[in-house]
Amino acid sequence: MTFNNAFFFVCFIFTGFVSAQPSYKSSPEQISETCQSYINTFNQRLDQLLVTEAAPSYVNVLEPLDDALLEFLNGGMHDGLMRNVHTDKAVREASTTCFLQAMSVFTGLNMNRPLYQKIIQIDESDLTPEQCFTLNYWKNQFESSGIGEDEATRKEIKALTDEINQIEQIFQQNITDDVRSIQVKASRLTGLPQDYVDSHPADEKGLVTITTSYPDVSPIFKYAHDGALRKEVFIMFDSRAYPQNKDVLKTLLVKREQLARLLAHDNFAQLNMLGTMVKTPENAKAFIEQLSAAISKPVEAEKAQLLERKKKLDPTAVAVNDWEASYLKNLIREEDYLVNAKEIRDYFHYDKVRDGITSLAEDLFSLRIESCDCATWHESVEPYEVYENDKLIGRFFLDSHPREGKYTHAAAFPITMGKESRQIPSAALLMNFPKGMMEHGQVKTFLHEFGHLIHLIFAGQNNIALSPFQSESDFGEAPSTMLEEWVWDYTTLKKFATNSEGIVIPKTLVNKMNRARYFGEATSVAYQLTLTAFSLEIYRQDPQKLNLNAFERKIFQQYVPFPLPESSHPYASFGHLTGYGAKYYTYQWSNAISEELLSKFKLEGLRNTQIANEYRHKVLARTGTQPASELVRDFLGRDFGVKAYADRLSQKH
């Protein structure tokens, strides 16, 4: 993980802690002043560290560096959050400016030769394994970032890195700002759940507004009988931030290629794979091809099923389009598996889902989670505190519903990193769910993001504040992906999934859901592999010669199960092209790891608290203190690989 990616990866009141609860009411002017203050303070502390005459040691170099970065990140991550959530555009813009300044300071560490010289002089002989891991992490960061280059080259690397950071923010902001909408006659909503219809009243002209927010579009794709409406909404959704992000992405590719060349790599994908479990673009490519081969037959089988069902609606049909897949899958689940998605969603009201997920964390890990009277940035944000044996160990904030100017996808945003006896960890979940009934898939997404939250809190209980940064960047999704399994567990669901009459979700219905669970998975994975291959291969091309639209068509034709509409350009709103870069394979890689982690839970029971706490202490709490592969091996008691996941995908469901 580079410094840049580490900082990007991260969306109190206690005696002896380094900071009070952040303020979310600052004006743009106050934000700018605070920004300069925490940057100046960090630079002063770094200068003090560098002039220390004592022989360099872990205690007088890396510990004070960790403390200084802890306070610095309090400010930087606060600005990173505000630019994604605040209702005032001026505040968002001021926070963005400050965030970029903070990132420039943070990434500038890898060009600091005096600091590097101190670090490489630290004697490892008396260090703990965790301290050795941290020391070697920092050495690798410096050495892979160009510390050995001459001064002119280092300046060029720094300038390019700052420019790349700015381009990334523009790309992301274009996605956030481009919320599109159409108006349609209310009669075209036939097939949609009643609560959806009720929440989209017609205006005086009899027209209903549908936006590109997730609560608007997802039910359209799944339930709307009007195929033309599904197509129109699909193309609108898949065209967000186009054409404005076309040139932005092209510039980003050029600059990242230049950076990679300066650091003696053939392309940015090679640079981006440093510090990962997969290690090289070639290994990532082989992994993609392994999964693609595993799902080839199931994909064809599912496509045949979908086409057969479509022919009942249109006997002349010869192919299934992307905007039809979700609708047809839902029909097949209803008819062949007797699973009614509208019936299922009646048991998943947002309030009950939220309470059920927090209760699950309490049960698994022996925690107490309570709502708190903590400062927030919007009246809809729900703040909580996490206790273990009456000790406060973390805070989190649920920002769960769409609003103007807010981040449009779903992600966990750290607010403060944790450090034992210094500061408790805190984070915000930025999501875009309806306030009422949720799809079962949205419940899974909620649980996934909550997995990031729990991971951050547990990893923030040691005495290395930056330990979550130090783990391999392609491991971070595995714990969250694993937690999705509990959304299929009846013992878990029956604790919170009740309808408006208080009736618990029937076990027979959950059994049906599980029987239908893997139908449609092959084509869904194929789409994910399309994005995975696109993110990898686009960073292995010569960007000067690259035609983005043609390249997108080429990759989609090779991997995607359904044809891409001519007017659709999903790369323009593919936000992971900045944060993950070439590493979108991380999601499928994490599925493979989580398959292994789950094997122990399935053997002992999903709600086995002994296994859950063993998992917490052997994997989550030790993240970034030794290689992730060793953590997983320690938990499983054996080596692991990706074969189990590929084998399951190859089965016909």
Side-chain angles (χ1 to χ4, degrees):
M1 187 187 299
T2 65
F3 283 126
N4 177 25
N5 285 339
F7 194 85
F8 183 89
F9 176 74
V10 296
C11 135
F12 291 93
I13 298 176
F14 246 68
T15 302
F17 281 18
V18 298
S19 67
Q21 290 188 58
S23 170
Y24 303 110
K25 305 298 183 182
S26 300
S27 67
E29 294 75 21
Q30 290 171 323
I31 288 171
S32 298
E33 291 174 6
T34 302
C35 174
Q36 292 307 311
S37 177
Y38 72 72
I39 288 175
N40 290 339
T41 298
F42 174 73
N43 286 332
Q44 290 168 7
R45 295 187 67 175
L46 186 60
D47 289 342
Q48 292 170 2
L49 185 159
L50 293 175
V51 298
T52 302
E53 295 182 0
S57 68
Y58 190 94
V59 172
N60 65 27
V61 177
L62 287 181
E63 281 190 2
L65 176 63
D66 193 62
D67 285 341
L69 283 168
L70 179 71
E71 294 188 32
F72 174 74
L73 289 176
N74 287 342
M77 292 191 296
H78 174 269
D79 288 331
L81 176 66
M82 288 300 94
R83 65 176 296 273
N84 282 286
V85 299
H86 208 281
T87 55
D88 188 333
K89 184 178 180 180
V91 170
R92 295 198 302 271
E93 290 176 346
S95 296
T96 297
T97 299
C98 287
F99 181 70
L100 288 170
Q101 290 174 1
M103 287 187 72
S104 179
V105 172
F106 192 71
T107 57
L109 281 176
N110 57 9
M111 293 291 106
N112 192 314
R113 274 192 170 176
L115 179 59
Y116 173 66
Q117 289 300 322
K118 281 186 173 290
I119 286 175
I120 61 175
Q121 292 180 62
I122 295 174
D123 183 5
E124 296 186 25
S125 60
D126 293 328
L127 301 185
T128 67
E130 291 78 12
Q131 291 172 334
C132 281
F133 186 87
T134 298
L135 174 61
N136 287 312
Y137 165 80
W138 282 102
K139 287 180 180 178
N140 290 335
Q141 292 304 299
F142 279 101
E143 290 162 6
S144 64
S145 301
I147 196 67
E149 302 294 336
D150 58 56
E151 184 178 358
T153 303
R154 295 201 312 276
K155 287 182 178 179
E156 188 175 358
I157 291 171
K158 178 64 169 61
L160 265 175
T161 302
D162 287 346
E163 191 173 1
I164 288 167
N165 290 339
Q166 293 174 348
I167 297 167
E168 288 179 343
Q169 303 313 309
I170 295 170
F171 187 88
Q172 293 292 337
Q173 195 61 49
N174 284 342
I175 298 171
T176 297
D177 291 345
D178 194 1
V179 178
R180 304 186 181 191
S181 65
I182 57 170
Q183 287 193 309
V184 301
K185 292 182 179 179
S187 59
R188 298 187 68 186
L189 299 186
T190 303
L192 273 296
Q194 189 59 46
D195 64 282
Y196 183 96
V197 175
D198 293 342
S199 65
H200 291 74
D203 62 16
E204 65 279 1
K205 297 180 181 180
L207 298 177
V208 170
T209 299
I210 298 172
T211 73
T212 49
S213 70
Y214 282 92
D216 271 13
V217 300
S218 297
I220 292 288
F221 299 149
K222 190 170 186 177
Y223 299 112
H225 294 329
D226 188 333
L229 175 62
R230 281 186 268 114
K231 180 179 180 180
E232 188 174 357
V233 172
F234 180 90
I235 292 175
M236 177 178 68
F237 183 80
D238 244 17
S239 301
R240 290 169 299 145
Y242 187 86
Q244 55 268 46
N245 265 350
K246 180 179 180 181
D247 289 341
V248 176
L249 180 57
K250 187 68 176 287
T251 303
L252 178 63
L253 296 174
V254 169
K255 296 300 180 181
R256 280 181 159 172
E257 174 81 0
Q258 291 175 4
L259 178 62
R261 296 286 181 179
L262 276 176
L263 293 169
H265 297 283
D266 294 336
N267 51 58
F268 178 74
Q270 286 184 356
L271 174 62
N272 206 205
M273 297 292 167
L274 296 178
T276 63
M277 297 179 75
V278 81
K279 299 186 184 306
T280 68
E282 290 73 25
N283 289 341
K285 176 72 171 179
F287 174 66
I288 294 170
E289 295 306 319
Q290 180 184 8
L291 293 189
S292 185
I295 63 172
S296 60
K297 290 183 179 179
V299 164
E300 292 307 313
E302 286 181 8
K303 287 172 64 177
Q305 285 178 276
L306 293 172
L307 180 57
E308 181 181 359
R309 183 60 185 84
K310 181 181 177 180
K311 285 183 175 180
K312 293 181 180 179
L313 303 173
D314 176 12
T316 65
V318 295
V320 173
N321 295 299
D322 212 343
W323 62 86
E324 299 169 318
S326 182
Y327 179 73
L328 293 171
K329 287 178 182 180
N330 188 47
L331 291 180
I332 292 172
R333 289 190 184 99
E334 287 182 354
E335 297 161 359
D336 294 0
Y337 296 93
L338 304 180
V339 174
N340 187 319
K342 292 180 186 176
E343 177 188 1
I344 293 171
R345 71 198 303 275
D346 285 343
Y347 294 95
F348 294 110
H349 188 281
Y350 170 80
D351 291 345
K352 296 177 182 178
V353 170
R354 174 202 62 211
D355 294 345
I357 288 176
T358 56
S359 178
L360 172 64
E362 290 179 315
D363 293 346
L364 281 179
F365 301 110
S366 303
L367 305 173
R368 190 175 85 254
I369 299 175
E370 297 180 350
S371 60
C372 65
D373 186 20
C374 303
T376 68
W377 49 91
H378 191 266
E379 65 264 13
S380 66
V381 175
E382 302 163 298
Y384 291 86
E385 293 182 330
V386 182
Y387 293 86
E388 182 177 32
N389 298 325
D390 295 325
K391 177 185 177 183
L392 179 66
I393 65 169
R395 285 192 180 93
F396 66 87
F397 301 80
L398 301 181
D399 191 344
S400 301
H401 312 298
R403 63 175 177 274
E404 185 178 355
K406 179 190 162 186
Y407 178 77
T408 58
H409 199 46
F413 282 68
I415 301 173
T416 55
M417 306 306 294
K419 185 166 184 174
E420 186 179 16
S421 302
R422 294 279 293 170
Q423 178 171 280
I424 62 172
S426 65
L429 296 190
L430 306 189
M431 303 175 289
N432 287 276
F433 299 136
K435 295 182 179 180
M437 310 315 296
M438 298 173 65
E439 297 291 330
H440 186 246
Q442 292 173 324
V443 180
K444 185 174 75 169
T445 298
F446 197 155
L447 203 52
H448 177 98
E449 299 306 335
F450 203 84
H452 283 304
L453 181 78
I454 290 296
H455 191 180
L456 181 78
I457 290 175
F458 289 157
Q461 305 304 315
N462 62 38
N463 60 3
I464 304 172
L466 270 69
S467 61
F469 290 169
Q470 297 174 181
S471 181
E472 297 91 329
S473 57
D474 52 357
F475 174 71
E477 297 292 339
S480 315
T481 301
M482 192 203 73
L483 200 60
E484 295 175 10
E485 182 69 21
W486 276 256
V487 83
W488 301 96
D489 176 49
Y490 177 71
T491 304
T492 296
L493 294 181
K494 72 178 183 180
K495 291 178 175 291
F496 69 89
T498 60
N499 63 16
S500 59
E501 298 176 355
I503 298 173
V504 175
I505 190 169
K507 188 172 185 178
T508 53
L509 178 56
V510 177
N511 289 340
K512 290 177 184 177
M513 291 162 59
N514 274 281
R515 283 196 295 270
R517 175 178 177 178
Y518 296 118
F519 169 70
E521 183 187 29
T523 46
S524 295
V525 171
Y527 184 77
Q528 287 299 307
L529 289 179
T530 306
L531 298 178
T532 298
F534 182 83
S535 78
L536 175 65
E537 297 301 332
I538 199 171
Y539 283 113
R540 300 174 78 190
Q541 309 299 309
D542 180 350
Q544 301 287 0
K545 300 177 181 178
L546 184 64
N547 180 315
L548 275 173
N549 290 355
F551 182 76
E552 181 180 55
R553 298 279 153 190
K554 176 183 175 182
I555 294 293
F556 271 64
Q557 288 172 2
Q558 183 176 353
Y559 290 96
V560 81
F562 311 110
L564 184 68
E566 286 296 326
S567 55
S568 182
H569 301 285
Y571 72 78
S573 58
F574 188 10
H576 285 297
L577 288 175
T578 61
Y580 273 102
K583 299 181 294 188
Y584 193 70
Y585 74 86
T586 294
Y587 284 92
Q588 289 303 313
W589 183 259
S590 295
N591 281 339
I593 297 173
S594 68
E595 195 93 8
E596 296 278 10
L597 294 172
L598 277 169
S599 65
K600 189 163 184 175
F601 278 96
K602 289 180 177 179
L603 186 64
E604 304 291 345
L606 286 184
R607 298 185 68 89
N608 184 309
T609 56
Q610 180 180 341
I611 298 300
N613 279 286
E614 183 181 344
Y615 167 67
R616 167 189 171 176
H617 292 291
K618 288 187 175 181
V619 180
L620 303 183
R622 293 163 65 194
T623 296
T625 62
Q626 66 185 82
S629 57
E630 293 181 12
L631 300 180
V632 177
R633 186 183 301 114
D634 188 27
F635 173 65
L636 294 175
R638 58 173 174 79
D639 287 331
F640 69 97
V642 300
K643 187 175 183 300
Y645 179 54
D647 286 346
R648 183 175 66 73
L649 289 178
S650 68
Q651 299 170 8
K652 181 179 180 181
H653 299 289

